[in-house]
Amino acid sequence: MSEPSLTLRGIASAPGVAIGPAHVLVRRAVVGGRRRVPAAERAAERARLEAAVATTEAALEQSATSLGDDEASGIARALLISQRAILRDPQLVAPTIRAIEEGGLGAERALERSLRALEQRFARLGNVAFRELWRDVEGLGAALLAQLREGEQRLLGVDPGDILVAGAVTVRDVIDLVSAGAAGLVLEEGSLTSHVAVLCRSAGLPAVTGVEGALRAIKDEAPLRIDGDAGVVQRVDAADVAPPAEPPPVPAAALDAARGDENLCLRANLDLDLDAGRARAHGASGVGLWRTFYLYLGRSKLPEEAELEAIFRSVLADFAPEPVAVRLLDLSGPFADHELPIALRGLPDCRGVRLLRHRPNVIQSQLRALVRAAPAGALRILVPFVSEVDELRQIRGLLAEIAAAEGLPIPAVGAMIEVPSALLQLDALAALADFFAIGSNDLGALLLARSRDDPSATRGLPPALRTAIAMIVEAGARHDVPVSLCGEIASDPSLTHELIELGLRELSMTPRLLPAVRFAARS
Ligand code: PEP
Ligand code: MG
């Protein structure tokens, strides 16, 4: 007897049609790694664990030395030192090595076993203070596991062609899905402006989010058809399904007609794909937003300054003479803590430029790398999540010092306008900014006091956001400060005319969505 038909509706979060078996992620496989390791490979497995311990220890050391001299940094340093002590404790690593060598377990599973044994011992101590201490051990265990998993492709256990069905996933999970060759994504949570949806669109992974009850309704391995343009998920009869059609190409004539339109400048938002050739092929003129947090994701150590400089330099050179707006690190997830470098884990309220308060060295290191890379192209530095004028002033001050020390010019600096308090300080911000970039994803959500991941948020331009955009455009015009928009509404062709009517002439979006916006602008 054939299964009853099933149709679920959600948000059309990333275009494209995908057909494939459902891979239902009810409970995340937290451990991963190999179940059994043959005797001949155990020495290598032990070495893998020891390398992970060494890297984690080095990262803790790096974090401790990167802290400032104030009281809070002193406490943080003490905590990091105590974490290093835990790492060296014979009750953690030694039994793990034994479980690998004698028990033949994979390093992840051996570590998990040692952690569980320690957890039980802590629980027996029965004291609240010890329970808190256990949190430190647990956090360290997660860091070690993350280190072991670095480079591991199949975190979610997805096979090529699968459609992952889950409650929520992290941005890092989407990267893993793409590299595992998954066909699509269905989520119970998530909205159009979620970073997960943003990344799916940029990676070309069809996605339907906000699908209520998906986990209950969809059985593992059920053949699914998802339509990321219509927001529909269906269980299908595998035999009946034709392969998904290629999306219709945007007429070349429309692209050519729009190129060189001096009234509208369309730029690329960059995340994982930093390829200038591909962005240009979609018609992008330079970069309006480079989300640099991808350079930090999935590694336990912070990138070295020289590595950052080399990446910045190469992207700037590839896009030259077009400008590239590099956004300073904005920890804007969703991330699992262990997906971030240890120095960035567990930080309170650290969106955007606020990171300067907690990890000044991370921002300074980005700024130095940027100043040094700047001669390679047309750099613009974008300061995210500005909520106080002073934040922009501080970045300007740091840049002036760095540029003077390096004997190099100070690059252009812009403010992202994405926090409502910035709307109330536009004149003062304009006096300090070389340009404004409207972050409508955050601004829209914060103006309406809702999460940007809220699936009930509707498509379109809420009146408050419309008014805010008009205010920013007017302030820009008053002070001769150019204004661009790089939130997801920039890539919605049904809004292009409205945005142009509001006075915007520069829109930045994920490159593959750009032709449709150009087409809309011209039609
Ligand atoms: C925004 O907030 O609109 C934006 C462009 O930045 P992000 O989506 O990375 O927060
Ligand atoms: Mg933002």
Side-chain angles (χ1 to χ4, degrees), residues 195 327 330 332 351 385 416 418 439 441-443 452:
H195 273 110
R327 185 171 73 184
D330 180 11
S332 54
R351 280 297 306 269
F385 230 67
M416 282 209 61
E418 53 183 341
N441 300 337
D442 281 308
L443 187 57
R452 64 184 275 171

Side-chain angles (χ1 to χ4, degrees), residues 290-304:
W290 177 359
R291 292 180 166 104
T292 57
F293 66 67
Y294 286 98
L295 302 177
Y296 293 74
L297 211 53
R299 49 202 292 171
S300 55
K301 278 179 75 179
L302 291 168
E304 301 280 345

Side-chain angles (χ1 to χ4, degrees), residues 325-338:
V326 183
R327 185 171 73 184
L328 298 180
L329 180 60
D330 180 11
L331 289 176
S332 54
F335 315 119
D337 222 27
H338 70 262

